């Protein structure tokens, strides 16, 4: 992924999170978007449909980046089946990753022709993937002090801004 123009992140499930549990989901998705866009966030738009004072049925987040990239993040909590996908749109390429089914699709436009490439990853638990990723990062960076970097702090700040907007939707007097 070199310079995405649009990033779409969709999560569908059939259970409700409490607002505080969304922080981790949103943080992961915001981190992915900021890393892929490789730019600062210029504008944050958040809207949601609350079911009651503790739950949302639908959440829509749009991030506009300084470099022109846009990201949409959608959470649907009233879906029949679970689905977690991300799609990266570039000027001559589309990459779609289906985390639920461990499948990815890449479409390249070369000289007016569309070339499709499918990828299927072996099934692992999410904790195995996270632990392997963490170990690789620590090994590559030769870190002795594992603390938040300025990039991670920025991602936390953006996520906190989104959470504050969600809380305002639940309780306008917050």
């Amino acid at each position: 992924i070199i310079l995405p123009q649009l990033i779409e992140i969709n999560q569908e499930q059939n259970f409700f999170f409490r607002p505080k549990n969304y922080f981790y989901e949103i943080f992961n998705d915001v981190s992915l978007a900021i890393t892929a866009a490789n730019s600062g966030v210029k504008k944050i738009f958040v809207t949601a449909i609350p079911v009651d004072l503790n739950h949302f049925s639908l959440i829509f987040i749009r991030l506009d980046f300084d470099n022109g990239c846009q990201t949409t993040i959608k959470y649907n909590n009233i879906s029949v089946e679970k689905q977690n996908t991300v799609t990266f749109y570039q000027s001559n390429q589309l990459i779609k990753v289906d985390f639920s089914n461990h499948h990815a699709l890449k479409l390249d436009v070369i000289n007016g022709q569309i070339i499709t490439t499918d990828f299927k990853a072996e099934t692992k638990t999410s904790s195995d993937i996270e632990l392997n990723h963490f170990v690789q990062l620590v090994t590559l960076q030769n870190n002795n002090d594992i603390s938040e970097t300025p990039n991670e702090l920025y991602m936390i700040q953006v996520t906190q801004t989104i959470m504050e907007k969600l809380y305002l939707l639940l309780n306008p007097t917050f």
Side-chain angles (χ1 to χ4, degrees):
I1 301 167
I2 299 169
L3 184 59
Q5 297 167 330
L6 175 65
I7 303 168
E8 290 181 337
I9 301 171
N10 295 303
Q11 287 197 37
E12 297 184 8
Q13 55 223 5
N14 54 8
F15 60 89
F16 293 113
F17 283 129
R18 294 196 179 279
K20 66 180 180 179
N21 299 115
Y22 274 108
F23 181 86
Y24 304 105
E25 295 294 323
I26 292 171
F27 176 76
N28 287 333
D29 293 337
V30 164
S31 299
L32 176 63
I34 290 174
T35 302
N38 197 22
S39 179
V41 177
K42 180 170 53 174
K43 187 176 179 185
I44 300 170
F45 174 78
V46 177
T47 189
I49 300 173
V51 176
D52 57 27
L53 291 177
N54 292 315
H55 302 93
F56 295 106
S57 58
L58 299 168
I59 296 176
F60 177 82
I61 302 166
R62 189 182 76 225
L63 305 174
D64 294 337
F65 291 91
D66 293 329
N67 66 0
C69 179
Q70 284 191 340
T71 295
T72 60
I73 303 171
K74 294 181 249 176
Y75 299 97
N76 176 1
N77 297 317
I78 52 176
S79 178
V80 176
E81 57 186 62
K82 186 175 180 173
Q83 186 177 18
N84 186 355
T85 61
V86 61
T87 307
F88 301 95
Y89 298 90
Q90 300 181 121
S91 62
N92 60 349
Q93 189 177 69
L94 176 140
I95 299 170
K96 183 173 184 172
V97 180
D98 182 348
F99 294 106
S100 302
N101 297 313
H102 305 277
H103 182 262
L105 173 69
K106 183 172 91 167
L107 299 173
D108 289 300
V109 179
I110 301 173
N111 298 327
Q113 293 186 338
I114 298 174
I115 299 169
T116 304
T117 310
D118 281 317
F119 302 94
K120 182 77 175 162
E122 64 180 87
T123 305
K124 293 183 177 180
T125 65
S126 57
S127 59
D128 288 340
I129 294 168
E130 288 293 325
L131 184 60
N132 287 339
H133 179 68
F134 177 75
V135 169
Q136 287 174 353
L137 283 177
V138 171
T139 305
L140 288 174
Q141 295 178 4
N142 197 15
N143 285 335
N144 293 329
D145 178 26
I146 303 171
S147 61
E148 288 85 8
T149 65
N151 243 5
E152 290 168 336
L153 292 175
Y154 179 69
M155 293 172 191
I156 292 170
Q157 182 182 33
V158 169
T159 304
Q160 188 59 40
T161 302
I162 292 169
M163 292 304 298
E164 288 170 5
K165 292 179 182 237
L166 283 174
Y167 281 121
L168 282 173
L169 288 170
L170 278 179
N171 186 0
T173 60
F174 177 67

